[in-house]
Amino acid sequence: MVEHAAHNRGVPGSNPGTATIPAGPAMNPSSALPLLRLAPRSLLDEITRDPAPPRGATILVAVSGGGDSVALLYLLAALSMGRGWTLAVATLDHGLRGDEGAADAVFVQELASRLELPVISNRRVIDVPAGGSPETSARAVRYAFLHEAASAQGASAIALAHTQDDQAETLLYRLARGTGTLGAGSMHRWAAPLWRPLLRVTRESLRGFLTEAELPWREDASNGQRGAVRNRLRLDVLPALRDALGRDVIATLARAAELAQDDESLLESMAKQAALSVVSSVSEHEAVLDRKRLSQLPLALARRILRASFRQLAGDGLALDASHVAALLSLAQAEGDGTHADLPAGWIARRSGTSLWLGRGAKDERS
């Protein structure tokens, strides 16, 4: 991971065509004010509404060079004048787009240079497992890099430029995979240290701001290719829904995600309260639950208690899928001892008297 010092070499952009980072002073109160005047008041209010990093916070801004993240960086730089924010920039070349990806990284380095902001830039070639998704692998590597960069900069928040369009695409994708309310909630504005201040802002409005301010950005040509599922949703499915329904489905879907977040928050709170009478104990070695009380709960709460108990036991890196949860519920409701269910990474569940036991080893031999 390399931190680049400021330098002033012009860099080609494509918004579309060729552009260079405009000459002029770095961001300061006198240059920030004209920029803020060009931004719609609703956009500035959306970025600064709660929850947002407090005054004086250090924020790492993830910038790819695309219009969304470039707009966010300029707006945060201008707003930081009055909010005391300290900004740093992070950019990652995934090695998936050859020279174009490398040029995007250089563009971001030059942009940070013009704004006199420190930039952490890195190139990490993505190792895609057999049958895996390049997008999923790239996302995992990207988030790991951003957390490392935030730690290096002492940042308490990582600003991500996900928009209302991204939220709508995420909801559609997860619904098609059979998600519940947790997944339907899609992306949250604040999930420490991740901060997504643009979830109610459209891509179109951000590009309108950049165009009016005559600020360049880069276009990722791969966004127009239909190989990736997310691209097909954006290019084919969402326009078809808009034509069929005759309304702004982007805003409607994003609103549905927010409603799902509210529902999930209530259910999670109820599940935590119910768990007090269901979960007998959880340690790093085992979790013990009351079978009868678990079986008497509404399924929505029982599922959450099982997932939370396993996550507490096995760590955040492992999770129960729908088939595991169904097997545990069946095990809890059945009669007699001795049956078991296999869980991820060698963990097991066994029915033992009135208890449902999750752990490793032969718990039934100890009962």
Side-chain angles (χ1 to χ4, degrees), residues 46-51 187-190 194-197 199:
E46 182 59 27
I47 292 176
T48 54
R49 73 175 176 87
D50 289 333
M187 296 179 286
H188 289 249
R189 176 180 174 87
W190 180 255
L194 304 179
W195 177 44
R196 298 180 175 93
L199 288 180

Side-chain angles (χ1 to χ4, degrees), residues 135-210:
E135 292 78 17
T136 299
S137 298
R139 187 179 304 111
V141 170
R142 180 167 62 253
Y143 278 98
F145 162 72
L146 289 174
H147 281 86
E148 292 170 15
S151 178
Q153 290 294 316
S156 59
I158 301 172
L160 303 173
H162 294 122
T163 64
Q164 189 177 76
D165 303 69
D166 295 311
Q167 185 76 303
E169 293 164 16
T170 299
L171 175 58
L172 274 183
Y173 179 75
R174 292 183 177 181
L175 287 174
R177 292 172 62 89
T179 189
T181 54
L182 177 60
S186 303
M187 296 179 286
H188 289 249
R189 176 180 174 87
W190 180 255
L194 304 179
W195 177 44
R196 298 180 175 93
L198 302 177
L199 288 180
R200 294 180 180 174
V201 179
T202 64
R203 291 190 188 116
E204 183 180 11
S205 64
L206 292 173
R207 279 156 179 74
F209 160 72
L210 289 173

Side-chain angles (χ1 to χ4, degrees), residues 28-265:
N28 55 49
S30 62
S31 59
L33 188 57
L35 195 63
L36 294 176
R37 285 174 174 166
L38 287 174
R41 183 72 247 177
S42 59
L43 173 57
L44 300 179
D45 289 343
E46 182 59 27
I47 292 176
T48 54
R49 73 175 176 87
D50 289 333
R55 293 182 180 274
T58 297
I59 303 170
L60 181 76
V61 189
V63 183
S64 66
D68 301 337
S69 59
V70 167
L72 179 61
L73 178 60
Y74 271 111
L75 290 166
L76 290 181
L79 288 166
S80 69
M81 298 293 104
R83 301 183 71 86
W85 286 334
T86 298
L87 304 183
V89 177
T91 190
L92 180 67
D93 176 10
H94 295 102
L96 297 175
R97 296 188 296 114
D99 291 343
E100 184 180 356
D104 289 351
V106 174
F107 175 87
V108 174
Q109 293 164 21
E110 291 291 340
L111 174 55
S113 171
R114 290 299 314 136
L115 296 174
E116 294 186 354
L117 296 175
V119 56
I120 296 179
S121 178
N122 198 244
R123 183 178 188 273
R124 298 184 181 180
V125 177
I126 306 302
D127 182 19
V128 182
S133 163
E135 292 78 17
T136 299
S137 298
R139 187 179 304 111
V141 170
R142 180 167 62 253
Y143 278 98
F145 162 72
L146 289 174
H147 281 86
E148 292 170 15
S151 178
Q153 290 294 316
S156 59
I158 301 172
L160 303 173
H162 294 122
T163 64
Q164 189 177 76
D165 303 69
D166 295 311
Q167 185 76 303
E169 293 164 16
T170 299
L171 175 58
L172 274 183
Y173 179 75
R174 292 183 177 181
L175 287 174
R177 292 172 62 89
T179 189
T181 54
L182 177 60
S186 303
M187 296 179 286
H188 289 249
R189 176 180 174 87
W190 180 255
L194 304 179
W195 177 44
R196 298 180 175 93
L198 302 177
L199 288 180
R200 294 180 180 174
V201 179
T202 64
R203 291 190 188 116
E204 183 180 11
S205 64
L206 292 173
R207 279 156 179 74
F209 160 72
L210 289 173
T211 299
E212 176 130 9
E214 298 183 344
L215 299 171
W217 70 89
R218 300 277 298 181
E219 288 289 355
D220 181 351
S222 67
N223 286 334
Q225 301 170 358
R226 285 175 166 78
V229 174
R230 293 292 291 259
N231 286 1
R232 294 199 296 274
L233 290 174
R234 181 173 61 254
L235 298 172
D236 300 326
V237 177
L238 283 170
L241 284 174
R242 187 180 298 112
D243 291 342
L245 300 175
R247 69 175 69 166
D248 182 3
V249 294
I250 297 292
T252 302
L253 288 168
R255 176 59 180 157
E258 289 191 10
L259 292 174
Q261 288 178 15
D262 293 341
D263 291 347
E264 179 60 26
S265 178

Side-chain angles (χ1 to χ4, degrees), residues 12 193 304 333:
R304 281 166 175 76
Q333 294 164 358

